Amino acid sequence: MSSQSAPLSPSTLTERHYELLVQAVVDYAIFMLDPDGHIVSWNAGAQRIKGYEAGEVIGQHVSVFYTDEDRHSGKPRQLIERALHDGRAQDEGWRMRKDGTRFRALVVIDVIRDEAGMVIGLAKITRDITDRHEADMRYDALRAQLFQAQKLEALGQLSGGMAHDFNNLLTIILSAAKLASRANNPERLASLLASIQDAGERGAQLTRNLLTFARCEQMPRRLVDLNELLDAAYAFISQALPKTMKLQMRFAPGLYRVELDPGQLEMAVLNLVLNARDAMQGNGVVQLHAENRTLHGDIDGLHGEFVLISIIDHGTGIDPAIRARLFEPFFTTKDIGKGTGLGLSQVYGFARQVGGCVHVESVPGQGTTMILCLPMAGGESAVAGVRTC
Ligand SMILES: Nc1ncnc2c1ncn2[C@@H]1O[C@H](COP(=O)(O)OP(=O)(O)O)[C@@H](O)[C@H]1O
Ligand SMILES: [Mg+2]
């Protein structure tokens, strides 16, 4: 502006000033259209973003900036009609520069009326958001990749855990079948076949549990006689140990009845026995003791009547440094393929779900006792089960 011009103030603003303002904006393409969509004005921003000089586009139809696809689908006309009808239209999409390259545009079209309310044209403001759009796309792609990776990891871990559990059951089935093929005593044969059937049913139970878990359903519970259950589980659990190891079970008569899913309890005991086996490196005796006990907060703050099932080994013991992580899903100190880190997290989840706990006593180099505390059915200690998911 020349030195003779009056300084800007609300009272000295003229149409020319507004024109200069619009012209000075370079980050936005600001131009006007007649009601049919022909370009009637052009600013510096429009020239910068779209690459056309004013003389090249004034008089042309706005559809010149649209992609062939959008032109064929009638998008330019639809946007103008929407603006004329609603007073305003907005759009985000691809537009073409003069040199044929595409840019991502955020577009607002407003209707302009004269004092009498007659439509005299349309104001169109376009912003080039290509950079932001590309960053968003990269972010979305990264997020999708991460989600996929997490899903694959969880899936891998889950199938690893399942394979581990199925493998234990298959070991039982195969070794019992091998023994059965050589057995000539009918009683022995019947007992081995019963073990095979039992392990097969547990496999079916395992898949049922997994499906229940996947469907996010409450586990079925029933009143369980622990003396009966542990008696029946002996053959099944001892089959999981190598010949060089023994399972010694001792449980008091008249154990309290408990209300739980028996399949889950068997799996928890099996997981504890398998850990004892691994800790003892294939040699020695694993003890399983069960007794009724009144707790007064002495084990994990529990009060009331409980059945305590202890699995005792004289293995490596547990390093105090990893005690806090034992129940974390996927925490394992075993080699790849030997441990999934899912055993204790199943035991923990199950115990909490029935209102009990798992208590660890361990001396490095001497051995470990894992105590599963289960509340007596109907007792004050029994709390309502929680959903697992
Ligand atoms: N009886 C035990 N003696 C020594 N360490 C144990 C015992 N039980 C569990 N652990 C430790 O806890 C870890 C987690 O056990 P778990 O969740 O069953 O997973 P995994 O057996 O697949 O490693 C084991 O890797 C091991 O380091
Ligand atoms: Mg384990």
Side-chain angles (χ1 to χ4, degrees):
M1 230 180 278
S2 79
S3 53
Q4 273 93 41
S5 300
L8 279 177
S9 77
S11 56
T12 59
L13 271 183
T14 63
E15 271 176 37
R16 174 74 191 137
H17 288 128
Y18 282 112
E19 206 182 310
L20 286 171
L21 167 75
V22 170
Q23 269 308 327
V25 174
V26 289
D27 287 334
Y28 292 81
I30 303 174
F31 53 101
M32 294 211 297
L33 307 175
D34 67 20
D36 290 327
H38 294 101
I39 300 156
V40 293
S41 79
W42 200 237
N43 82 333
Q47 186 172 332
R48 193 180 72 84
I49 292 171
K50 301 186 193 249
Y52 292 94
E53 305 262 343
E56 293 173 296
V57 284
I58 288 184
Q60 291 221 47
H61 194 263
V62 73
S63 57
V64 66
F65 308 128
Y66 285 72
T67 61
D68 285 348
E69 208 175 80
D70 282 349
R71 260 203 306 271
H72 287 137
S73 71
K75 189 169 181 181
R77 174 113 309 270
Q78 285 159 15
L79 272 173
I80 290 170
E81 276 166 9
R82 186 142 41 98
L84 290 170
H85 184 265
D86 300 341
R88 160 176 266 237
Q90 276 196 47
D91 183 45
E92 185 187 321
W94 293 107
R95 298 289 188 272
M96 305 303 292
R97 295 191 186 97
K98 182 185 169 187
D99 63 9
T101 55
R102 291 190 328 167
F103 69 99
R104 190 79 183 170
L106 191 63
V107 178
V108 183
I109 306 175
D110 282 289
V111 165
I112 309 170
R113 297 174 189 274
D114 62 14
E115 288 85 5
M118 290 293 292
V119 173
I120 53 167
L122 299 151
K124 192 166 186 231
I125 301 177
T126 301
R127 210 174 138 202
D128 180 349
I129 57 160
T130 312
D131 289 349
R132 196 183 82 190
H133 180 73
E134 280 172 358
D136 284 353
M137 299 292 279
R138 272 198 300 276
Y139 180 68
D140 284 352
L142 267 175
R143 213 170 34 185
Q145 261 173 27
L146 187 68
F147 180 68
Q148 192 63 11
Q150 280 169 342
K151 216 164 61 174
L152 283 177
E153 193 191 350
L155 211 64
Q157 299 282 11
L158 196 65
S159 45
M162 269 198 68
H164 171 80
D165 290 342
F166 271 116
N167 222 16
N168 293 329
L169 294 170
L170 289 176
T171 307
I172 293 168
I173 292 175
L174 289 175
S175 56
K178 213 182 277 173
L179 291 172
S181 67
R182 290 201 300 265
N184 29 33
N185 170 344
E187 264 174 38
R188 170 95 176 119
L189 185 64
S191 129
L192 288 165
L193 288 177
S195 297
I196 293 176
Q197 192 179 345
D198 216 33
E201 275 162 13
R202 269 159 236 271
Q205 173 72 35
L206 186 65
T207 21
R208 266 200 300 277
N209 284 352
L210 241 137
L211 289 172
T212 314
F213 171 73
R215 287 195 210 109
C216 204
E217 280 172 5
Q218 185 109 33
M219 298 293 182
R221 288 187 180 194
R222 61 178 177 82
L223 267 187
V224 173
D225 180 325
L226 278 179
N227 290 82
E228 255 175 39
L229 182 137
L230 291 172
D231 230 355
Y234 177 80
F236 160 65
I237 293 171
S238 57
Q239 295 275 359
L241 296 177
K243 283 198 195 69
T244 47
M245 292 186 78
K246 283 225 155 359
L247 177 69
Q248 195 184 76
M249 268 205 190
R250 203 182 68 209
F251 42 90
L255 292 173
Y256 294 140
R257 300 218 291 172
V258 288
E259 196 179 350
L260 42 76
D261 169 21
Q264 288 264 2
L265 173 60
E266 287 162 353
M267 194 54 79
V269 172
L270 181 65
N271 277 324
L272 294 174
V273 170
L274 291 172
N275 281 347
R277 175 199 66 186
D278 295 344
M280 292 173 72
Q281 282 132 6
N283 279 299
V285 179
V286 179
Q287 289 166 281
L288 191 155
H289 295 173
E291 57 175 346
N292 293 336
R293 177 100 68 90
T294 309
L295 297 181
H296 303 281
D298 32 338
I299 296 185
D300 291 12
L302 293 175
H303 287 266
E305 300 299 325
F306 286 81
V307 180
L308 268 52
I309 302 177
S310 309
I311 285 93
I312 306 156
D313 71 60
H314 300 286
T316 52
I318 298 169
D319 182 346
I322 63 162
R323 275 288 279 272
R325 305 196 56 198
L326 286 185
F327 300 112
E328 271 179 26
F330 314 128
F331 173 78
T332 182
T333 55
K334 297 171 191 170
D335 291 342
I336 294 172
K338 295 234 167 91
T340 56
L342 289 171
L344 287 183
S345 80
Q346 184 269 335
V347 179
Y348 179 85
F350 159 71
R352 300 292 301 184
Q353 202 188 359
V354 298
C357 74
V358 206
H359 179 74
V360 187
E361 287 173 4
S362 186
V363 180
Q366 290 189 23
T368 302
T369 299
M370 291 281 191
I371 307 171
L372 193 53
C373 304
L374 306 171
M376 179 181 85
E380 301 230 316
S381 52
V383 293
V386 289
R387 288 176 74 93
T388 46
C389 43

